[in-house]
Every structure is written in structure tokens, then in C-alpha cells.
Amino acid sequence: MIKIIKGDITTLAVDAIVNAANQVMLGGGGVDGSIHRAAGRELYKACLKVPEVRPGVRCPTGEARITPGFKLPAKFVIHTVGPVYRDGNHGEPEKLASCYRNSLTLAAENGCSSIAFPCISTGVYGYPKEEATKIAVKEVKEFLSHAEMQRCRAREGQGRAPARSEMEVIFCCFSEHDANVYRSTTAC
Ligand code: AR6
């Protein structure tokens, strides 16, 4: 199930909120700064413990890492790094799509049944909102329908409904304008 809300992602009592982080994963501006402030110093310490894949890179662009939420109402923070937008011809759409796919997969692997996303890459990283929204909605819809297909197969195979229910995916927009972009895109 997809929900679109206007609000501050740090206030949501969901299983996981997604952070639009950078590769170092030690905080920054925008939603990243707000999440670190609300979660407290423990989040910074947990991020420090995430191993570097190369100097200064804990999470490469398009990938995702998970930590506890500490003082946040959310149980987990899934940190993902969106692409910096240049012109759309430098692999940005694929990288942004993999942020959504990897975050959703990590959430499912950690037993999450609700997850909230900010509009990854559309702030400091400059991704045009309409284009980014189309990618976000497409990836989430594909993930949910694939998960539904797996549930159907499991039902057929076992003769009973599996315990796992559909994941609730919230697009948490910081402005009414962003929420309207999501509303018109999900309606398509
Ligand atoms: N709740 C929900 N959405 C928010 C919030 C909030 N509390 N605060 C901002 N947004 P940005 P990026 C929206 O710039 O473009 C950081 O410095 C905001 O309106 O936070 O992926 C990182 O460390 C926008 O729509 O992330 C990286 O260096 C969206 O969140 C860099 O910025 C994303 O804006 C990442 O840039």
C-alpha cells in the first residue's frame, strides 16, 4: 500500500525511515541533518561503525545501509545515497532507482512492514522533482507487486496465507507541492 503525506519524516512512528545521506554517512544538511539531530549522538556512533568500502565511503551511491533509529519514533534508519544530478545522462536514473530498490529490500530483510521515504536527491543534489518522483513511484510499485506475486505463490504452495502482509510505503513530502507531484504521479 502506498501513502503520500506532507510532513517531517523524523516524527513518523514507522518501522523504517529512509535517510537521503551522503557517502560518508556521518550527517549533513537537509533531511540527513534533521534525522541525525532527532536520533541523537548514538546514530552518529552507529554510522561510524559501518565499515568503509573505500576511504570516506560507507555507502556508495545507489546502495543502502541500516542502523537503529535510537531516539526517533522509527525503529530503523535506512541510509541511502542518491545521485547528484548533472543532466540525467550520467546514470542518475539508474542510481536513483537502485536507492529505492535497495532500501525496500533491506527493509524487508529486517522484517519491516512500514517504511517512509523522503524525496531522495531532490534537495541539495538537484534532481528534478517530477523525474525523481516517476522513478520513486515506479520502483515502489514494482517492488510491491513482486512481493504480492511471491505471497500468492507461497499461498498456492502451502495451502494457506503466509504471515507476511503487504508493506506500507509512505512518501513523506516536505512541501504540499511535492505531495501533489506524488499524488498526480501515483494516479498514472
Ligand atoms: N522530512 C521530510 N523531508 C525532508 C525533511 C524532513 N525533515 N527535510 C528535508 N526534506 P536533501 P538530497 C526533503 O537536500 O537532495 C545532505 O546534506 C527536502 O525538501 O535533504 O538527497 C546529505 O548529507 C527534499 O525534498 O537530500 C547529502 O550530502 C528532500 O528531503 C545531501 O544533502 C531531499 O533533500 C543529499 O541531498
Side-chain angles (χ1 to χ4, degrees), residues 79-93:
H79 308 259
T80 190
V81 181
V84 175
Y85 190 83
R86 290 167 71 182
D87 56 7
N89 297 316
H90 289 81
E92 299 95 325

Side-chain angles (χ1 to χ4, degrees), residues 133-152:
T133 304
K134 277 185 205 150
I135 292 169
V137 170
K138 176 172 177 282
E139 290 306 321
V140 167
K141 281 187 173 172
E142 276 179 15
F143 179 88
L144 291 177
S145 66
H146 182 72
E148 178 57 26
M149 226 160 60
Q150 285 181 325
R151 272 197 303 279
C152 286

Side-chain angles (χ1 to χ4, degrees), residues 33-133:
S34 299
I35 289 173
H36 273 266
R37 273 192 299 279
R41 190 74 183 162
E42 292 303 311
L43 179 61
Y44 177 84
K45 289 185 193 161
C47 287
L48 256 187
K49 285 186 192 151
V50 174
E52 288 183 326
V53 293
R54 51 180 188 274
V57 179
R58 289 186 175 77
C59 183
T61 302
E63 294 190 16
R65 302 287 186 269
I66 193 163
T67 64
F70 298 102
K71 288 186 186 161
L72 288 163
K75 208 185 291 175
F76 298 108
V77 178
I78 293 177
H79 308 259
T80 190
V81 181
V84 175
Y85 190 83
R86 290 167 71 182
D87 56 7
N89 297 316
H90 289 81
E92 299 95 325
E94 294 76 18
K95 291 282 187 214
L96 187 60
S98 70
C99 285
Y100 284 92
R101 272 200 304 276
N102 286 324
S103 298
L104 288 161
T105 303
L106 203 48
E109 283 169 359
N110 284 274
C112 297
S113 54
S114 55
I115 180 171
F117 284 95
C119 312
I120 300 164
S121 277
T122 66
V124 174
Y125 283 179
Y127 214 113
K129 295 197 170 181
E130 279 76 10
E131 287 176 41
T133 304

Side-chain angles (χ1 to χ4, degrees), residues 7-10 20-22 27-32 34 118-126 129 172-174 178:
D8 178 351
I9 203 164
T10 64
N22 54 53
V31 70
D32 192 8
S34 299
C119 312
I120 300 164
S121 277
T122 66
V124 174
Y125 283 179
K129 295 197 170 181
C172 179
C173 304
F174 213 37
D178 290 358

